[in-house]
Structure formats: C-alpha cells, structure tokens
Amino acid sequence: MNQLFDETKIDVNGPVPEKELERQYYYLAKARAIVQKQSEALGRPLTCMVVTFGCQMNARDSEKLLGILKSAGFEEAESEDADFVIYNTCTVRDNANQHVYGRLGVLNGIKKKRPSMKIALCGCMTQEETVIEKIRKSYRFVDLIFGTHNIFKFAELLVRTYESDGMIIDIWKDTDKIVEDLPVERKYPFKSGINIMFGCNNFCTYCIVPYVRGRERSRAPKDILREIERLAEDGVKEIMLLGQNVNSYGIGLDDPISFAQLLTEVEKVNGIDRIRFMTPHPKDLSDELIDVMAASKKICRHVHLPVQSGSNRILKAMNRHYTKESYIELALKIRERVPDVAITSDIIVGFPGETASDVDDTIDVVRKVQYDNAFTFIYSKRTGTPAASMPNQVSDEEAHANFDRLLAVVQETARSRVKLLQGRVMPALIEGVNERDPKLVTGRLSNNTLVHFPGDASEVGQIMDVSLDQCEGFYYLGNRVEHRG
Ligand code: 5AD
Ligand code: SF4
C-alpha cells in the first residue's frame, strides 16, 4: 500500500479538519482506534471482505475500499464470513441487481451467527431510489449504504457505522469533487487500473450509467501522471486508463488536453511497459489517437470498441451517433494502421423494436470487422432510461434466438482471429500460476490473448517472449523463448 499523506499532521482529539483529504485521514485514524479496541475485546484481528460486481471501474473502486479497510486495521478475510463485508454493486443489467439481492440473503444468515458483523453496500445499484427503498424495507440488516459519488468518504462513513445503531444511508445525486491520494490496496502488484475520468454524458438510451455515475469529469493530467509514476516506482509494469468514454477525456479541464495527448505523456513514464485503456466510444475516436497508438512502443495492441448494434435504425434509437458504415470504416482503419491489433466489442441483442433483419446487420459487422472477441448481452430494461418506455419491447424467445445466432458467429470469428498468431513469438506479461496446472504460468499478450507455458510463481510480473505453439480455441499453449545475443 502506498501511504500518500503525512498522518502525523492529524490530531484525532482536535476538531474535524475542513479540507476533504485531511478530514478523511482524521476519520481513518478514528476508525483505526475503533478497530483496535474491538479486536482487543475479541482477542483477534477484525476481518473484512470487499466483493466486487461489474466492470473495471468497480474493481478499481474496490481497491480504494480495501485500502481504507486495511489502513483502519482490518485483515482481509478469505470469505464473506467476516466482521465487515461490503458489496460494491453493478446495475447495468437487472440480473446484476437480482444477484446482489440473493447474496444479501446469504449474508443475513451469516450475520445472525455473528451479531457484531457490519454489512455495507455501495456502487451503481445504490444510486437508484427504488433500490434504497427496497433495502430499507426488506434488508434491514444492512448497516451502511453509500453511492458512487462519495466513495472518498468511506473512512468517515465507517466511523459513523461503528458509532451508531441504525442503517446509515448517504447517497449523493452527483458531484464535481475528485479527492486524490487516499490509500489504495492493489489486487495485482504488477498491473493497475487508473481512473482518468468519472461519469458519462452520452446517454445511450438503454444505459443507466449516466444516471448512476453522474456527469463526466476528468482528473488533471498532473495527478494522473503522478499516480502512474508512483505505480512505476512500486513495480507496476502495466496500467489501464479507465473512463466510460476515454475519448472525451480532458474536456472541461482548466487546460484542456485530448486523450491522445494524455497517452503521449503517459508513454514517457519510465518503468511502465504497457498501457491499456477502456473504453473509447466509436463516435469520437480520433485519427490523432490512432496515430499515437501506431507510433507507440507501449500502448497495447487492443482496442475495445463497443458497437452495440450493426443496424442503423437501432443505432439511431440507441443514440449512438455513428452508422454501421462509419463504424466498419473506423475499425478497418485501426486494423490497417495498427498492425496485429485486436478489436473487441460489446453487443446488445433485443433492444426495443429490433428485428431479425437488424441482427443480420449486426452479424454482418462481426464478419466484416472480424472481432477478436465480443461480449454479447441480452437487452435489459432499466427503469428511467428512454428505451424502457419505447414500444415494441422484444420477447425473450426472439431475443434469445437472435442472441444464439450472433454468438455462433462471434465465436467463429474470434477463433479464426486467435489462430492467426500460431507460430509467432510475442512478449507476454506473466499474471499468475495456471489455476489448473501448477507447472504452467499464464501470460497475457499485448493484444489481450492468453498463453499458458511452463514457469513458476517467482516469474509473476515479468514480461517474457513466448512462442505461440498450439492454439486451443481462444488461448494458446506455448513455451518461453530465450533472448539470443
Ligand atoms: N442491457 C444490456 N446490456 C447493456 N449494456 C449497457 N446497458 C445495457 C442494458 N440495458 C452493455 C453495453 C455496454 C456494456 C458495458 O454493457 O453493451 O457496452
Ligand atoms: Fe452507457 Fe453509452 Fe455511457 Fe457507455 S457511453 S456508459 S453505454 S451511456
């Protein structure tokens, strides 16, 4: 954990500091005293568990939550049978919500045997009023609920949770605040996500994210670069720049810069070997960005470029601001200018009014772009979004039939793309020991393909040249290649 703040400045017996960062370190010191007292009474350390649902943004937020909990003195537990359990939730599709409700029921069972246990909920789901009502009514054993905009207040909320009996609910509608330099506990020593911006202004008509993550706001380049420099000093080799739409990075800053310019600056940080980013919106992926990628030694050969649909009629209804033709042109331009690039996508099936012929158009895009992989989703109606009240909602049967047709083509093109690398030698970042065979390690290529090859735990975090000997569908079996000369 990188300690970024001089805590000797804090006087826990003094007044609550006004500046946000100092305030949170003040509460962190208070939380530490509470945790210490409780663990002395129990004669054992207090344990915690952060459970993450959803995307890379949530994964990064969870590292911040764990950073606070560990700084407060909690030890990380192996299961949810712990003293403090927090669910960092996702609400992009309804099944994510249902999953959380189900898991909360199980947690209640654990809490009955462990009355001092605290249960917290945060993340996108908690930004929905209907969710809060339901938790208030039917899940009264939850101790703390907070949202996506005030996650930086977690230390303060933790103290309040231990100092009061009732359920604490603290949800903000939006914020323009970005609080830097709170503790973070990274999941991987060798790679890290970095938020470059928060929120989304695009309002795709099916999507709930703009309502639960608020308006776009970018972090200052100097703060991002400082964070990356610190990560490099800490041994991180690969970083992923995170934002709902990284192409609109920099708008609204005092000195606006483009995402491509930010990437150029990030490239200069010594010690970082690989740079990834997620997610660019196809409507405004610039030539400047493609040029920067093409010239870069560090930016990974992977663009996740969600198409959502290949039908112009549906794209319009989705408010995506591009056409099938302009999307294909963009994807093929990226392929041409960035050799060996992998292009992946998100696709939704069953958007209101979608017919089999619209899905044919989507399948046509998959064939023309030849995705290296694509996540396919059945449309999920999200209350409050424009699509939820559109006519012609598609039946489950029809959506599933179209989904299966699409998935078959996605898998076929993904297989044929992965196969193209057969026999090549490429650098792989070793991410861990193979889960099924401990004699193998798992490495990730620049284009995101996985390769398993002989190695051991001591090599995790190293980048090695690997021959891609045998294609096994979506991944490779290989062998390391020693450098000659
Ligand atoms: N239903 C299904 N999929 C959705 N996504 C976003 N909203 C919905 C929804 N209502 C998908 C999109 C997006 C990905 C993160 O989740 O494909 O790119
Ligand atoms: Fe949702 Fe569209 Fe924003 Fe992505 S760009 S988070 S799909 S509204």
Side-chain angles (χ1 to χ4, degrees), residues 92-93 206-207 306 308 346-348 377-380 382:
V92 80
R93 283 169 291 276
Y206 52 80
C207 187
Q308 312 298 1
D346 293 338
I347 304 174
I348 298 175
F377 306 107
I378 300 260
Y379 167 73
S380 169
R382 309 310 291 126

Side-chain angles (χ1 to χ4, degrees), residues 200 202-204 206-207 209-210 244 281 308 320:
C200 180
N202 287 313
F203 291 95
C204 302
Y206 52 80
C207 187
V209 169
Q244 303 294 350
H281 194 302
Q308 312 298 1
R320 293 289 292 177

